[in-house]
Every structure is written in structure tokens, then in C-alpha cells.
Amino acid sequence: MTDDEFSASADDPGAADETHDADAGEQLDGDGAAQDATEPQDADTTAASSGEDADDGAASPDGEDADAEASSAEPSVALDEFHDALEDAGRPVVTASEVGRSLDHSQAEAVDALDGLVEADDVRRVDVETDPVVWYPAEWGELADRERVVPFPKRREIVVDKPTQFTRAQLSQFAHLADVSGNEAYRYEIRKEDIWQAPYDSFDRLLKTVRQVLPERLDGLEEWIEDQWDRARQFRLFTHEDGYTVLEARSAELMGNVARQKLDESQLRAPISDTESWVAEGSEAAIKRRLYEAGYPVQDQRDLDEGDPLDISLRMNLRGYQSDWVTRFVDAGSGVLVGPPGSGKTVAAMGVMEAVGGETLILVPTRELASQWRDTLLAHTDLDPDQIGEYHGGEKTVRPVTIATYQTAGMDRHRQLFDQRRWGLIVYDEVHHVPADVHRRSADLQASARLGLSATPIREDDREKEIYTLIGPPIGTDWDALFEAGYVQEPEVEIRYVPWDEETYQDEYATAERHEKRQLAAANPQKIEEVREILADHPGSKALIFADYIDQGDALAEALTLPFISGEMPHARRERLFSQFRRDERDALIVSRVGDEGIDLPDADLAILASGLGGSRRQGSQRAGRTMRPSGKARVFALATRGTTEEEFARRQLQHLQSKGVRVREVDSELDDGV
């Protein structure tokens, strides 16, 4: 219930309950007909209704006492004031003492005032055995099936009960999903880094989104958001006309008290003015990291080398939002395309290659993804095969367009080859790998433009902020808009709690050590029957069944007569099975972690997460993302053993999807315990 809604019911006569029409400006005449109390009435009616003598209009002998009693009546509480007290308490119910403290009334005065609101049917009271009487707004019960957005601006938190998909998608643009209670209550936090990284070109656009979500304007919160927006624009790197790099601050105080205090001589060579400093060559990335840690993101506006030219034409039309991505990237010169799986980030990246028109280095996490990039470039651009090279453990060829793995590009013995090339563009696919210590050196490779790609730029070590520091700001489109347009299928996600297969198995779990507990819960044999039931309920679907443990994968493969693809399988056989799946020659595969990343399975419409719930939020989103293609339906089932840590792991792993507006249901398996 918003402040405006509370105020409306308290101040607007038309909003009052029909049973209280007499209090809202109507009275009943002698025949029971409604009469407007605001219209003039004859003397008899007025006298009768006011308790005065109809003959002479003299006041009742008790009139003075009544007036005196009214003047000494206890303070009243308006409904909007009661809502203010709820916000001060930070919970949906309050005691009379809490209302009294909030409104500067005594406890007794607050009780009387609250009882008045109860009589007006605006507030409900509940006697709690272990606590005093508590009060809550009546409308909360009446609106139980409707979305409610309750902001707590002092804590910069937003609690949303039964949020719509639109609200969840909008909140994901500027807030962090901190907690989900069951299927209904979502708690968001607005952190400074959420504002720094908000994917907007102007503060006005960001503010418009904030106001679309919140039920009212909150001046203090909006001022804080604007302060953080400005804070991310206090420093910039630019290229001096003589060719060296300059760090510029918006004020002399920032340069002296922040930059020159946080950075040393190995990063800043000498001052140029009160607001400008000469940057040591090659220290740009370190400067951006240090100032970010100090609370000041740096705008990178350097004019980097154009790189060697390369004419490339795309043989397909971009969707509207993909063209917008390309335009925004070209204007910025760097950035990270953030969009749901299936939204065509690879195609947009090829559009960027066409717009930049320079030799391109593409960095990927796996050899499989390198091969897919090569095939995609040959299929959708006019590049010749001899213009595309691959550089990894299986092949080492540098060409105008080179596809290399992060690990190889970061090695000293190979890095010199990449440094010698004048790249116009570097593409960082699955960009969340960049902050890892073994991969981050690839971020120091020089190019005129840097483009990151990721559906899930999140890391369990909370280093995702370094992605934007090292590569560039996020560029993306609301998931909700892509769902609505039909470009991406919104998945139906369900956490299904599966019982143990037998009592002895549960006893084994109770006495196991920590890692053994996870493995036993993951490999619960009852999950085999659950997978069988799900496949039977969805005939004709193309299904991927994810299993993290070899023993479980083998057991599923034997029970379901399906191939299990793991790292132990020879590369050639893996590719053959994936190819058969793409060509509809197979409709189900069991896949280990090799299918989490770098494998293109565009036709999957059913994903079953049989194990691996102890993994990251990114892993959960990637596995679910295998189904999020435009055609067909997208269904995701996460199987968690009841009464184990898998329950919480499942909720946490799918949290990123929830933060993007995808609803996650939680249900119990229909299988009986002990079967």
C-alpha cells in the first residue's frame, strides 16, 4: 500500500467504505433517503440532527460539557501517519508504543487513536501471544493478490510483494535483488555500484525508470541516486594532443585529495594543472581500478590507435535493439553488451565489427567456442576463411580476425604476438572471465575499442564490478522488452523439492561430512524417477539434463538410455552428439559442466538441473538460458533434495533470473517418500 493510496482512503470522501457514507458527506432523512449533508437544510432537520431544541434553537444544557469534552479529546491518527509509523518501524505491523514514539503520542493516546482507525475499518488489530497487540492496515489483507511496492528510502531498500514481471525487470536496471522470501516477497537494495553501472545515457532516463517503479517520489532517495550518478563522472582519461594520456578531475580538490593521494609515481608522472595529471604509459588499467576502489569510477575517453583497417560486411539484418546496441557502443568506444541468452549478442558483436572496420581479436573461454565463432563469422559475414585465425592449444594462427582463448592470450610467451598487432577491436566473449587472476592480463591488450559480451556478468567473488572498470560500461535492453517482443522466450522456472529414496539413504546423509553431504543430496536416486516423470510430461521437447557428478550422470544415462557428455568423453564424440542434437536427430542429452559455457545448443526448450545446485548464480542462469530461444516454450526444472542445503542453493542459484524479472516457482514433488 503506497502513501498515496493510504492518503486517498483517509482524505478522499469517495474512497471511504460504503458502510460509512454518513461520515463521507451523506445523512439519511426521515424516510431513509440519502441527503447531501453539504446542502442547506431546514431548521427542524438541522435542529433534530444536531440535538438542539427545534422551537427556539437553544443549546442543550449539556452542550458546554460536550464541547469541553471534545476539546480535550485524545489526539487522532490519520491513515497516512499510521503508514509513516510502519515505515519508521521497518516492518508490516506495529505496536501502539511504536506508533506513539513515531508520532510523539503517549502509548495510551496511540491505543485510543488506533482503536478509532479500527472502528473506521482502516486498520486491523491482532492479539499476539508472545507480544503486545499489533496493528496493520486493513487494505493489506484486501489487496493480498495485488502487487505492493514498499520503499524504505533511509535504508535504500525496496520490498515488493507479488511483483509483476515489468516491475522486476525495471528494478533490475538500478537495484540489486538481495533476498526472495518464498515465491512472493522480493527485497531489493540500491547500492552505489548499481547506480554507477546503470545502463543509461543520461540521469533523466535513469530517474524515469526509478519513478515508474516506486509508488511516490522520494526526494531524499532521488538526491542520493543523482549524487552517485555524478560521482561516477568526476574523473576521465583522455588523450592529449601530443599523444600521451591525461587524467582529469572535475575539481582541484578531487585531483589533490583523491587522485594524487591514491595513485603513486608509477601511475601519475607529473601534474599538468590543478585538475590534470600526466599518466604513465600502460598504467591506465591500474588507475581505473584504484580510483574505483576509492569510490570514483573513471570515464575512459582515450583516442586509442585506430588499428589496421578491415572491411567486413554483415549478411543479415540486425533487430532494432541490436542496432541500438551497436550505435551506443560506437558512441562510447567501449562497453559490455548485457542481454539474456538468445538475444543475439554474437550477431550484435559482428555488427560492431562492421561499424568499427578494424582488425579484431576475439577472446573466448574454450576451444569449442572458438570454433563456433569461426563458423558463425563465415556464415554471416563476407570474411574469407584465410582472414580468420584461431590461437589456442589446438591451433596457433594470427590473422586479421583472430579468435583466441583467454588463457593463451594471457601467457607471456604468446602475448607478444598479440601486442605486435594493431587491433581495431577486442571482443571479450563471456566477459565475466576477465576479473579472474589468470585471465585479467588480457584486459591490458591495446585496441581502439573494447567490447564485452555476457548474459550473466556476475561472479560469486563479487568482482563483477571490475568487468566494467577494465572493459567498459554496460549496454543492454530490458529483458522484459525482449520477452514482450517475442525475441527471447521467458522461461517457466520451477524448483521441485524431491524426497529421499529410502530412509537408510537419508540416514547416510545425516552422518556424512560436508562435501559428502552435497554429493549425496545431488545424487539422490529419487531424482532419476523425477527426471523420468518430467520427460514423460513434456513429450517432443528437446531436453538437456545437467548432472555435475560422473556417477550420477552415468546412473541417469543407464536408467534413461541417453548419452552422458562429460569432460572424459573424446572431443570428436562430444561434437558429434551436439551436432545430432542440433539437427533434431536426438531430443535429449545428459550434460556435465562442459555444457555450461561455450556450447551452442539453440533448440533446447527443456532444461532439468538434476545436480550442481551448489554452483554459482551465473551457472544457474546459463543452464536455464539454454532454453530461452524465440521459438517454442522454455521450461526449467531445478531438482533439490528436500531437507538438505540444496534447497537454499537452488534459490540462490536462480536469483539472477529473478532479478531480471523471471518468476521462479517452488513446489514439492508428487513422488511419495520412500518409493
Side-chain angles (χ1 to χ4, degrees):
M1 175 61 65
T2 67
D3 287 348
D4 290 340
E5 290 173 313
F6 279 117
S7 299
S9 60
D11 301 331
D12 181 5
D17 193 295
E18 292 180 0
T19 60
H20 299 82
D21 282 343
D23 294 332
E26 287 188 344
Q27 296 177 335
L28 300 179
D29 63 15
D31 297 326
Q35 181 177 354
D36 191 340
T38 61
E39 295 180 359
Q41 302 177 28
D42 59 48
D44 290 342
T45 304
T46 304
S49 63
S50 62
E52 295 176 354
D53 189 314
D55 294 332
D56 56 14
S60 167
D62 298 329
E64 292 183 4
D65 292 340
D67 290 341
E69 183 177 345
S71 66
S72 63
E74 303 292 358
S76 62
V77 174
L79 198 52
D80 56 349
E81 293 177 316
F82 177 68
H83 188 254
D84 290 340
L86 285 174
E87 183 173 311
D88 289 341
R91 57 191 182 123
V93 297
V94 286
T95 64
S97 296
E98 290 171 325
V99 173
R101 284 195 299 271
S102 175
L103 304 180
D104 198 24
H105 295 338
S106 69
Q107 198 262 1
E109 292 172 342
V111 169
D112 290 340
L114 288 166
D115 283 341
L117 290 176
V118 171
E119 291 177 5
D121 204 28
D122 291 326
V123 167
R124 304 274 168 80
R125 57 177 287 162
V126 178
D127 294 323
V128 184
E129 292 182 3
T130 59
D131 211 2
V133 176
V134 295
W135 281 264
Y136 67 92
E139 286 85 353
W140 283 18
E142 297 165 2
L143 301 177
D145 293 329
R146 290 175 52 187
E147 174 186 86
R148 291 192 300 277
V149 179
V150 182
F152 296 90
K154 294 179 181 178
R155 300 202 304 262
R156 295 193 289 276
E157 290 185 358
I158 303 169
V159 177
V160 190
D161 189 34
K162 297 185 182 299
T164 63
Q165 201 278 333
F166 171 80
T167 296
R168 283 174 281 152
Q170 294 295 87
L171 281 167
S172 71
Q173 303 299 299
F174 65 89
H176 166 71
L177 179 62
D179 187 35
V180 179
S181 177
N183 294 322
E184 308 298 343
Y186 290 60
R187 181 173 65 85
Y188 291 84
E189 298 173 350
I190 306 177
R191 307 169 303 178
K192 58 186 180 181
E193 55 264 35
D194 298 319
I195 305 304
W196 295 349
Q197 299 164 6
Y200 295 94
D201 298 327
S202 68
F203 174 71
D204 288 341
R205 291 185 61 188
L206 168 60
L207 187 59
K208 180 179 179 181
T209 299
V210 173
R211 289 177 174 175
Q212 283 177 330
V213 173
L214 299 184
E216 59 184 321
R217 294 191 179 184
L218 302 169
D219 292 339
L221 180 61
E222 290 186 1
E223 289 173 4
W224 180 85
I225 291 174
E226 186 171 12
D227 286 344
Q228 295 305 317
W229 177 270
D230 289 339
R231 191 179 184 90
R233 287 152 182 80
Q234 298 298 314
F235 288 96
R236 73 177 182 116
L237 290 170
F238 70 93
T239 302
H240 191 272
E241 60 183 11
D242 292 333
Y244 58 84
T245 301
V246 176
L247 175 67
E248 181 185 45
R250 282 203 177 170
S251 70
E253 286 185 349
L254 282 169
M255 178 58 72
N257 297 333
V258 178
R260 291 172 183 161
Q261 294 295 323
K262 299 293 182 181
L263 304 172
D264 56 36
E265 294 178 356
S266 67
Q267 289 135 5
L268 297 183
R269 294 185 59 179
I272 300 174
S273 68
D274 289 343
T275 59
E276 296 177 326
S277 291
W278 184 1
V279 171
E281 186 176 357
S283 64
E284 292 85 358
I287 288 174
K288 288 194 288 185
R289 282 196 296 270
R290 285 207 180 180
L291 289 180
Y292 191 102
E293 291 167 357
Y296 292 92
V298 178
Q299 303 289 304
D300 194 341
Q301 300 174 358
R302 289 175 291 163
D303 298 326
L304 299 176
D305 290 340
E306 291 297 326
D308 291 329
L310 174 67
D311 290 331
I312 174 175
S313 296
L314 194 59
R315 289 174 174 160
M316 60 188 303
N317 295 324
L318 296 177
R319 296 168 179 167
Y321 66 86
Q322 291 170 326
S323 295
D324 178 61
W325 286 351
V326 173
T327 300
R328 290 164 62 187
F329 175 83
V330 171
D331 290 343
S334 64
V336 178
L337 298 188
V338 181
S343 57
K345 294 181 293 297
T346 301
V347 173
M350 292 189 293
V352 170
M353 292 172 63
E354 180 183 47
V356 171
E359 293 196 356
T360 300
L361 174 63
I362 302 169
L363 298 176
V364 297
T366 65
R367 290 171 53 185
E368 288 86 355
L369 194 53
S371 298
Q372 290 172 26
W373 261 97
R374 179 184 177 87
D375 293 342
T376 302
L377 287 168
L378 291 174
H380 299 299
T381 73
D382 62 353
L383 290 172
D384 295 328
D386 60 0
Q387 292 179 291
I388 305 174
E390 294 184 48
Y391 203 100
H392 46 68
E395 180 181 346
K396 292 181 174 62
T397 306
V398 177
R399 297 282 172 78
V401 174
T402 300
I403 310 162
T405 59
Y406 283 105
Q407 187 165 4
T408 304
M411 293 180 178
D412 290 336
R413 65 179 183 271
H414 302 301
R415 181 185 173 86
Q416 184 178 359
L417 291 172
F418 299 115
D419 281 337
Q420 290 174 350
R421 203 93 184 189
R422 298 177 69 249
W423 303 109
L425 172 68
I426 299 181
V427 178
Y428 300 83
D429 201 1
E430 305 291 358
V431 72
H432 48 267
H433 287 277
V434 169
D437 293 334
V438 72
H439 296 142
R440 67 181 304 143
R441 285 189 294 174
S442 64
D444 293 331
L445 292 168
Q446 293 303 304
S448 61
R450 298 167 180 268
L451 172 66
L453 307 177
S454 184
T456 52
I458 53 176
R459 295 176 58 88
E460 298 309 307
D461 58 10
D462 292 327
R463 293 172 70 179
E464 60 263 26
K465 62 186 180 183
E466 295 187 23
I467 296 170
Y468 305 119
T469 302
L470 296 170
I471 307 302
I475 300 170
T477 301
D478 291 353
W479 287 35
D480 180 57
L482 301 185
F483 291 151
E484 288 293 327
Y487 290 126
V488 179
Q489 186 69 230
E490 179 179 2
E492 299 175 5
V493 182
E494 180 176 293
I495 300 174
R496 187 171 291 189
Y497 298 111
V498 181
W500 290 103
D501 68 324
E502 56 186 49
E503 187 173 338
T504 55
Y505 198 89
Q506 191 168 4
D507 290 341
E508 185 179 356
Y509 175 85
T511 59
E513 296 297 328
R514 183 175 179 180
H515 176 71
E516 292 174 335
K517 282 181 180 291
R518 289 199 299 268
Q519 188 165 355
L520 286 169
N524 177 5
Q526 190 77 327
K527 290 184 179 181
I528 295 177
E529 295 305 315
E530 195 67 46
V531 172
R532 199 191 306 275
E533 290 288 333
I534 294 172
L535 292 176
D537 290 341
H538 300 90
S541 295
K542 297 198 65 178
L544 293 175
I545 304 158
F546 291 93
D548 273 20
Y549 295 97
I550 298 298
D551 290 346
Q552 184 195 27
D554 289 338
L556 283 164
E558 182 179 354
L560 303 173
T561 319
L562 293 172
F564 173 42
I565 300 175
S566 71
E568 297 180 354
M569 180 178 287
H571 180 77
R573 174 159 170 71
R574 281 162 48 183
E575 282 301 304
R576 184 162 59 252
L577 289 170
F578 284 134
S579 179
Q580 290 171 353
F581 187 83
R582 295 187 191 100
R583 296 196 302 265
D584 295 333
E585 296 172 8
R586 290 186 178 273
D587 59 9
L589 292 173
I590 303 168
V591 187
S592 71
R593 292 186 179 183
V594 299
D596 287 346
E597 199 168 75
I599 302 297
D600 184 18
L601 301 172
D603 296 324
D605 52 23
L606 174 63
I608 303 175
L609 283 56
S611 62
L613 297 178
S616 66
R617 292 167 292 165
R618 185 180 68 253
Q619 183 191 59
S621 298
Q622 287 171 331
R623 291 181 171 184
R626 298 304 176 195
T627 69
M628 294 167 62
R629 297 308 193 263
S631 60
K633 299 206 70 174
R635 301 179 181 88
V636 180
F637 294 89
L639 306 185
T641 298
R642 174 61 80 184
T644 71
T645 54
E646 282 198 321
E647 294 186 24
E648 182 57 32
F649 284 156
R651 299 186 188 102
R652 182 175 63 87
Q653 194 182 70
L654 297 172
Q655 192 176 66
H656 181 68
L657 286 176
Q658 290 179 306
S659 73
K660 293 300 183 183
V662 175
R663 188 176 295 276
V664 178
R665 298 177 61 242
E666 299 180 35
V667 302
D668 287 316
S669 167
E670 295 182 0
L671 298 175
D672 294 329
D673 290 348
V675 175

